[in-house]
Amino acid sequence: MHSINNSDGYSIGIDIGGTFTDCVVTDSRGQSVTTKALSTRDDPVRGVRAALSRLAEGMGRDSASLLTHTRRFSHGTTIGTNAVLEHRGARVGLVTTAGHGDTLAMMRGRGRVAGRPVEDVFRVQGSLPRPLIVPGAVLEVQERVDRTGAVVVALDAPRVRDELRRFIARHDLDAVAVVLLWSFVNPVHERLITQLVAEVSSETYISSSVNVSPRLGEFERMVATVINAYVGPVSGRYMGRLAEELQGGGLTTPLLIMQSNGGVLPAVEAVAAPLGTIDSGPAGGLAGVRELAGAAGHDRVITSDMGGTSFDIGLIVDGVPVMAEEKVIDRHTYRLTHLDVRSVACGGGTIARRDSVTGAMRVGPDSAGSDPGPACYGRGGTQPTVTDADVVLGLIRPESFLEGRMQLDPELSRAAVGRLAAQLGLTQEETAAGIVNINNMRAATLIHQQTVERGLDPRDFRLYAYGGAGPVHAFGFAAEAGVREVIIPLGNGASTLSAYGITVADTLHCVEVERTVKAPFDDDSLVNAVDEAVRRVRAASERAGTAATAVRISVHALMRFEQQLANAVEIPVPLPAQRGTGALLLKRFNAEYARRYGAGGTNVRGTAEVFALRAEARVSSDVPPGTQGARRDDADAAHTCEVYWPTIHRWLVTDVHNQATLDRAGQVSGPALVELSHTTVCVPPGATVLNGPHGHLTLHLPNPSAPCCNAPDAGVAR
C-alpha cells in the first residue's frame, strides 16, 4: 500500500494508450503513485474506471473517496486520433466559398505521400486517403471577402438558410465544417453561416475555421476545420460521459483535457475544438519531461516514449520544447501549433514477420495492441511481437511483469518467435535478438531525423526514456543514436510519465493572429498587432473563468523572409511591445536564422517579415516536480538469471535487482536487470545505473570502443 499526503488535495492524470491506460496521482509535495490497466478500446471509460479503482485500492481507499479529495483531474484521450485512423468519425458536410468546393479533394498534390513511409512514396500505384466528408456533401455559397477583409460579394442570409436546411437533411449530416476564403481576415460571413446552421439544425455540430485554424493556407485551414468536425461529435460524447461519471463518483472539480500544445483546457472548451486533443498523449510525456528536466537543470534533452504501439520522441533545446505548426494524420495535412512529437510504429506490441518480397525480417508497423496483445499475454495473439522477443531473450521475466499481477506465458512467446525463426532459417535467440535490434534501429533512426537533420548532435543531449517499453530498450536505441546518458525519470514512474505530464501540465490558451508586417518594421503596426493578440488570448482565458492575476501571457512572432514558405522562425516578443521592438525582433531573427541555416543565408534572402503572432495565456498547475511516493522495502537479496543480450549475441549470467536493492546499493553495474513495478531497466554489459534525485535513475552506457566484459568469458552462460 502506498501512502501520500492529501492535505491540499490530490492531482490525478490519466493517459489512454494503445495497450495500457496509465494513471498517476500526485500530492501537494510532488510525491506520486502510479498504476496501469489494460486499455478497453470498445469502451475507454471502462478502462479509466479500472485504472482509478486499481489506484484507489493501492492507496487503501475507494474510488469515491479518492475523487472527493481530488482538486485537479486531467485526462489525455485518443478518441479523436482513433476516429480519424479508424474512419469512425461523424458524417461531415463542407460549406465553402463558391468555386472552391474541390480544395479538399485536390489536397495540394500531397495527398498520396504526406506522412507516408519512404517505401510508400515511390510506389507506382498509390491511392488517396479515405475522404473525411460525406461524398458530394459540399455546399458552395455565393459570397466573397478579399485579402484586405473588404466584402466584395455580400452573403444572402435567407437564401443560404434555405440551402443549409436542404443540405443537412439531404446528406443526413452530424456536423458541418464552414471554411470561407479570407475569413481569418474578416469573419463576418463565416460567423453568420455558423449562426444560420445553429438555427436550422440545433443538433448539428459546427466547426468554423476562424475558431479552429485562423491562418493563411486555404487547404490546410480546410483540413483542420473538417477534421475538427469529423471528431467533434464522438469526442464530445466521450468527454461528456466521462465528466458525468467522474462527477457522479465524487469529483467536484472540472475535468481538464490534455492538448497537443502541451497544456490542458476545461472539457467544455476541448469539446468545442477537439482537434487539439489529437496526439495529446505523447505531448503529455514531453510536458512532463519539461518540468522534470527543468528542475534537474537539463537544458538539452531528447524525450523518448516507447509504449505498446509506438515510439514517440520530442526535443528540448536550451530548456524550451521544440514546437511545430504543420501536422499530418492519415495523409491529411493541417496547421495547428503543437509540441513537435514525432512517432514511428515500434513499441512493445509491434509485430515481426518475414517479408514476402525480400525474405528478410520485418518489424512493424502493425501492432497487436492490448487485444489480443503479444502472444505471451495469453489473450489469443499468435504473432511474434517485440515483447515476445524480450521474454525469449530474458530481458523481461514473466513472473515479474507488473509486479506479478499480470502473468506472462513464456512458452507462447517461444512458440511465436520459433515459428518466425523456422521461416527465416535462424535460431530462436537470433530471431528474437533481430526483432529487438531492428526495433531499436528504427527508434534510433527517428532520433537522428529529429536531431542530425536539424543540425544538432545527439551526443550533446541526455535522453529521457519512459513508457512501459522505453527503459527496457533504451540501452539499445540510445547507444545506436550516440547518446551515452539515459535518464529513467521518476524510476518506476517512467512507465506512466505521459500521465504524469498530463497531471502537471499548465492550463494553456493559445491564439494566433495572421498579420503581415515587413521589415524595416513600422513600430505602430507591430505594436497594434501584438496588442490584438494579447487582447484575444486574455479574453479567451477570462471566458474560462481564470483570474487575471494568475495568467502569464507570452507572445511569439512567426517570421520568415518575404515569399518564403519554409524555414519559419519563432522569436519571443518583449512585453509590453513598444518602439524599438521591431528592430530587436529583426536582430534576433537574423541571428537565429544564421544559427540554423548558415551565416550566409541572411544575405541572399531579401526582406524579413512577421507573418503571424501567437499569444499564449498560461496558468500554472501548481503541481510540484514529482518524486515517487514511499515504497515497501520488501526486497529479497539480489539474484541472477540468464539473459541473451542482443547487442553482443551472447547468453550472460545477469544480476536481477528491484528498486529496494538498488536503493541500498546506490549503483549497479551491468549486465543487470532492475525490475520496477511497471517496467524493467536493462543494464547491458559495461554500463552502470545509479540512483539520482527525485527518484530518477541514470543509465550510463559504455563508449563503443570500450570492452563489454572484464574478461572474454566473464559472466558467460550456457
Side-chain angles (χ1 to χ4, degrees), residues 443-462:
T445 299
L446 185 62
I447 292 173
H448 281 142
Q449 290 172 347
Q450 280 289 74
T451 53
V452 176
E453 293 182 10
R454 294 174 182 267
L456 301 171
D457 190 338
R459 294 173 296 184
D460 297 334
F461 287 73
R462 292 176 173 87

Side-chain angles (χ1 to χ4, degrees), residues 184-185 513-517 525 529 532 536 558 610-613:
F184 59 90
V185 179
V513 176
E514 188 87 19
R515 290 289 184 275
T516 300
V517 185
S525 298
E532 181 182 355
R536 288 189 187 182
L558 306 183
V610 174
F611 63 92
L613 292 159

